[in-house]
Amino acid sequence: MNTISIEQFIQGIPKVELHLHIEGTFEPELMFEIAKRNNKKIAYTSVDELKKAYSFNNLQEFLDIYYAGANVLIQEQDFYDLTWAYLNKVHEQNVVHVEIFFDPQTHTDRDISFDTVIKGIHRALEDGKKQLGISFKLIMSFLRHLDETSAFNTLQQALPYKDWISAVGLDSSELGNPPSKFERVFAKAREEGFLTVAHAGEEGPSEYIWEALDLLKVTRIDHGNRCLDDTKLVEKLVNLQMPLTVCPLSNLELKVVTDLKDHPIPEMMEKNILVTVNSDDPAYFGGYMNENYLEISKALHLSKQQITQLVINSFKASWLSDQDKEKRIAQVEAYFQKN
Ligand code: HPA
Ligand code: ZN
């Protein structure tokens, strides 16, 4: 025990990512490359200038830049390259399983076809499985600032790709767009066999988490930070062992927390909530999985045992088969014992 540093420990432990927007992995270098080949303009003259714009006071300020960045994605190959770059990046970080979001409406609203988007992403995920050994699930997220009709249309377009899409989710501007707005779309999605998840309680109140549970029948809550405002809700999340996919560096960059030293992860763990660590939009928030684990470990003085528990939580919260979960958890426990 205690033979390797926390950095090395985090690097080597097999990890899972459960909250990742593929459009949020768009690194400036790749953005400029793809913009050039598609003859699309970027509002910034250089990678450095673009990176300087990555300073946000809230979720909306980030979303404005995030949607602008996605504008240069046109061809199936662009979506492939975006996803392939992400998979290679996390492969270096020893991520072995990913469950990632894509936002079809960000693209279909610009007249890029649903097929172009999903075919590029899916082909990269298949290649990642074959060549990098990363297993995957794909989650189609509805943009909650758009209306119910747009979400229904998007669901319709997803039906031919049921085999490729495990779940539907809900993201974008949370305040003023409660889960209840999409109750009927989510009911239809469940009827069609999709699992459901939703961003709730990132900027929005704990009531939105209740709605996600009661109305959208989610199997995970994305973020969920605000659950701590409501003891009854915490009790419910614990009883259900409902996973929260928490994103520390995202929380810091979007001012959901003012300092990582005040991040609620330890309190959530203490209360027995099934909390997990994720990167959300790593190209914009300054870190992928390892950086998220490392920064909270430093700020909150997490032990190797606590880090191991967070990783095990992620495997438990994933949609891997029970057999694969058991195998992976045993592997993680053996790693902890050895290191
Ligand atoms: N919250 C809401 N919508 C998003 C996010 C997020 O953290 N990232 C990308 N879209
Ligand atoms: Zn998110």
Side-chain angles (χ1 to χ4, degrees):
M1 281 290 275
N2 275 328
T3 50
I4 61 173
S5 68
I6 285 283
E7 282 90 339
Q8 289 168 320
F9 186 81
I10 289 168
Q11 166 62 33
I13 197 165
K15 288 167 290 282
V16 183
E17 171 119 270
L18 301 177
H19 183 156
L20 180 284
H21 303 264
I22 198 61
E23 293 88 350
T25 68
F26 207 1
E27 291 288 349
E29 290 79 5
L30 184 62
M31 197 183 288
F32 272 89
E33 189 186 315
I34 290 181
K36 192 170 167 206
R37 74 187 187 210
N38 286 337
N39 275 320
K40 296 286 281 187
K41 281 220 156 37
I42 295 182
Y44 302 89
T45 55
S46 68
V47 165
D48 280 347
E49 202 189 307
L50 178 57
K51 282 183 182 166
K52 280 199 195 105
Y54 292 178
S55 167
F56 316 109
N57 291 306
N58 52 46
L59 175 59
Q60 193 59 51
E61 285 188 14
F62 154 69
L63 290 170
D64 292 342
I65 287 206
Y66 161 86
Y67 294 129
N71 267 332
V72 307
L73 297 163
I74 311 280
Q75 312 287 344
E76 181 185 321
Q77 190 63 36
D78 304 340
F79 292 93
Y80 179 94
D81 291 348
L82 175 70
T83 309
W84 184 242
Y86 163 69
L87 290 169
N88 276 279
K89 180 76 194 175
V90 295
H91 180 59
E92 284 169 15
Q93 298 201 344
N94 219 0
V95 173
V96 296
H97 178 71
V98 298
E99 299 185 359
I100 70 172
F101 298 108
F102 74 117
D103 289 345
Q105 288 151 299
T106 300
H107 315 296
T108 52
D109 276 13
R110 302 180 287 116
D111 292 331
I112 310 298
S113 81
F114 189 96
D115 309 67
T116 298
V117 178
I118 196 166
K119 282 181 179 161
I121 295 171
H122 186 262
R123 183 157 57 86
L125 288 168
E126 284 291 349
D127 283 352
K129 191 170 175 185
K130 276 188 241 128
Q131 295 176 40
L132 309 172
I134 300 176
S135 52
F136 67 86
K137 306 280 179 191
L138 187 56
I139 310 167
M140 178 178 85
S141 208
F142 299 114
L143 299 182
R144 69 202 306 159
H145 68 275
L146 300 179
D147 62 19
E148 187 196 37
T149 307
S150 176
F152 265 120
N153 284 340
T154 306
L155 181 58
Q156 197 61 37
Q157 295 180 71
L159 295 182
Y161 296 102
K162 261 189 194 176
D163 291 350
W164 291 0
I165 302 171
S166 303
V168 299
L170 190 62
D171 65 3
S172 191
S173 323
E174 188 180 8
L175 285 168
N177 295 299
S180 53
K181 182 175 165 185
F182 297 95
E183 184 176 359
R184 297 192 305 178
V185 183
F186 272 60
K188 172 79 173 151
R190 291 195 311 277
E191 224 178 270
E192 295 287 351
F194 296 103
L195 294 169
T196 61
V197 297
H199 284 52
E202 180 185 18
E203 283 189 344
S206 53
E207 285 76 20
Y208 285 19
I209 303 176
W210 281 110
E211 284 191 10
L213 295 172
D214 294 342
L215 306 181
L216 307 187
K217 318 277 186 210
V218 296
T219 55
R220 291 199 296 250
I221 296 283
D222 297 310
H223 294 296
N225 299 48
R226 295 286 298 276
C227 73
L228 295 170
D229 299 345
D230 181 338
T231 356
K232 275 234 143 47
L233 178 57
V234 168
E235 205 179 303
K236 173 136 180 161
L237 295 173
V238 172
N239 286 340
L240 292 172
Q241 281 297 282
M242 174 65 55
L244 301 188
T245 63
V246 171
C247 307
L249 289 176
S250 165
N251 291 162
L252 184 66
E253 291 303 312
L254 301 186
K255 313 290 186 284
V256 170
V257 301
T258 48
D259 193 320
L260 278 186
K261 290 188 169 65
D262 304 321
H263 198 281
I265 278 185
E267 187 183 347
M268 289 171 169
M269 291 180 83
E270 220 156 274
K271 291 191 149 80
N272 252 329
I273 295 172
L274 194 67
V275 57
T276 67
V277 173
N278 307 275
S279 75
D280 208 5
D281 303 282
Y284 293 91
F285 300 147
Y288 288 76
M289 288 294 281
N290 284 355
E291 290 80 12
N292 271 276
Y293 274 105
L294 185 59
E295 292 307 316
I296 55 163
S297 297
K298 286 196 293 200
L300 301 161
H301 308 290
L302 298 186
S303 64
K304 289 178 180 173
Q305 185 159 22
Q306 285 172 304
I307 295 164
T308 304
Q309 186 59 54
L310 287 165
V311 170
I312 290 173
N313 286 356
S314 286
F315 278 109
K316 282 188 183 162
S318 76
W319 298 322
L320 285 166
S321 68
D322 286 346
Q323 199 185 1
D324 285 343
K325 283 186 195 186
E326 268 174 40
K327 204 175 78 190
R328 287 297 190 185
I329 291 170
Q331 191 186 359
V332 168
E333 280 168 347
Y335 178 89
F336 171 68
Q337 290 305 331
K338 211 172 85 193
N339 295 291

